[in-house]
């Protein structure tokens, strides 16, 4: 029987330079879409998929992330006294059971592969998930849950995948599909950030992974590649070379690249419009804005 996936790694050591100066003192993962930080979306998705152990790979300057998941007795006492039950409930989701969350430092920014490798002892010998909180996915059924269900059928390694335009392939890990079965695609290779015009397909890897412990062993043996970094993609590709299956999973949902300013703004608009208490007013405002812009042109 396949072992259940109960651990997830969250690589959150990045400096977030694209959001300077904000990220000078605020970790990128604490930046908020409406009223929830990016990391909360990632945690909620992991929980929905049955994850019970959360491993953060952090770096210097990320203590706000650790505090975020801590209890805040004064705040709670005040909210309780004021009868603010809704806000108390919102806080509930930020708490982690003692022992369910671990922080591991990545001492040098050597790449995503290295970040996951830093967590190897906490993962041990079992399949695990990786969630990149920059990739926010709005979906009826959370993306990782869709993947866990598909993985229960397939086993092996599985990466979230999405079609991107030719010009964009060089920003992603890209799959070389073997057999396309609709939502599941078997692969014969994958390459990190292929040079323009050399991508094996348009099927890009998005930041959700279910990986076997073999990938951790492979991480011991990879060399720096794209961007001079140790790439997770290369360690997964080694599984394919070893004749073990790696699947792409076309998830149902909309992905926002919250690692970029444009993507972050798009996500803010989409999540704002989706909120019951904000959607109508915000929608009216956006319509007005667009009308004014059109009139001025
Ligand atoms: C990382 C991965 C890449 C993947 C991307 C998805 O790249 O290395 O394979 O396609 O996330 O967001 P990054 O965006 O961190 O450069």
């Amino acid at each position: 029987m396949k072992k259940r996936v109960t651990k997830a790694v969250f690589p959150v050591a990045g400096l977030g330079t694209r959001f300077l100066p904000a990220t000078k003192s605020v970790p990128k993962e604490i930046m908020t879409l409406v009223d929830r930080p990016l990391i909360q979306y990632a945690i909620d998705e992991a929980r929905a998929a049955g994850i019970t152990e959360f491993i953060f790979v952090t770096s210097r300057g990320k203590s706000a992330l650790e505090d975020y998941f801590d209890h805040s007795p004064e705040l709670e006492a005040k909210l309780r006294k004021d009868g603010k039950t809704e806000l108390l409930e919102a806080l509930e989701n930020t708490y982690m059971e003692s022992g369910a969350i671990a922080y591991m430092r990545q001492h040098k920014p050597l790449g995503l592969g290295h970040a996951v490798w830093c967590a190897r002892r906490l993962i041990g010998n079992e399949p695990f998930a990786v969630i990149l909180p920059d990739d926010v996915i709005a979906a009826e059924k959370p993306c990782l849950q869709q993947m866990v269900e598909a993985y229960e059928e397939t086993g092996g390694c599985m990466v979230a995948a999405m079609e991107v335009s030719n010009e964009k392939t060089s920003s992603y890990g890209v799959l070389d599909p073997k057999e396309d079965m609709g939502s599941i695609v078997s692969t014969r290779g994958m390459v990190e950030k292929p040079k323009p015009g050399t991508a094996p397909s348009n099927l890009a890897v998005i930041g959700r992974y279910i990986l076997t412990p073999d990938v951790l062993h492979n991480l011991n043996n990879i060399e720096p590649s794209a961007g001079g970094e140790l790439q997770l993609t290369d360690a997964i590709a080694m599984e394919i070379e070893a004749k073990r299956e790696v699947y792409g999973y076309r998830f149902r949902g909309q992905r926002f690249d919250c690692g970029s300013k444009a993507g972050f703004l798009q996500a803010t608009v989409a999540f704002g419009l989706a909120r019951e208490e904000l959607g109508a007013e915000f929608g009216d405002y956006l319509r007005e804005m667009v009308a004014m812009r059109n009139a001025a042109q």
Side-chain angles (χ1 to χ4, degrees), residues 18 112-113 132 134-135 160 171-174 190-193 204-209 229 231-233 255 257:
R18 278 196 268 179
L112 179 59
L132 309 187
D134 273 4
D135 281 332
S171 305
Y172 293 92
V174 179
M190 61 195 284
V191 40
E192 180 67 15
K193 305 202 170 73
V205 176
I206 299 303
R208 303 289 184 275
Y209 308 76
E229 296 188 340
Q231 296 293 352
L232 182 60
T233 298
R255 174 258 187 177
D257 174 12

Side-chain angles (χ1 to χ4, degrees), residues 185-200:
V185 181
S186 69
T187 60
R188 60 164 67 93
M190 61 195 284
V191 40
E192 180 67 15
K193 305 202 170 73
K195 298 220 161 56
T198 68

Side-chain angles (χ1 to χ4, degrees), residues 176-188:
D176 186 357
K178 186 164 70 182
E179 196 185 341
D180 197 328
M181 297 163 276
S183 54
I184 298 174
V185 181
S186 69
T187 60
R188 60 164 67 93

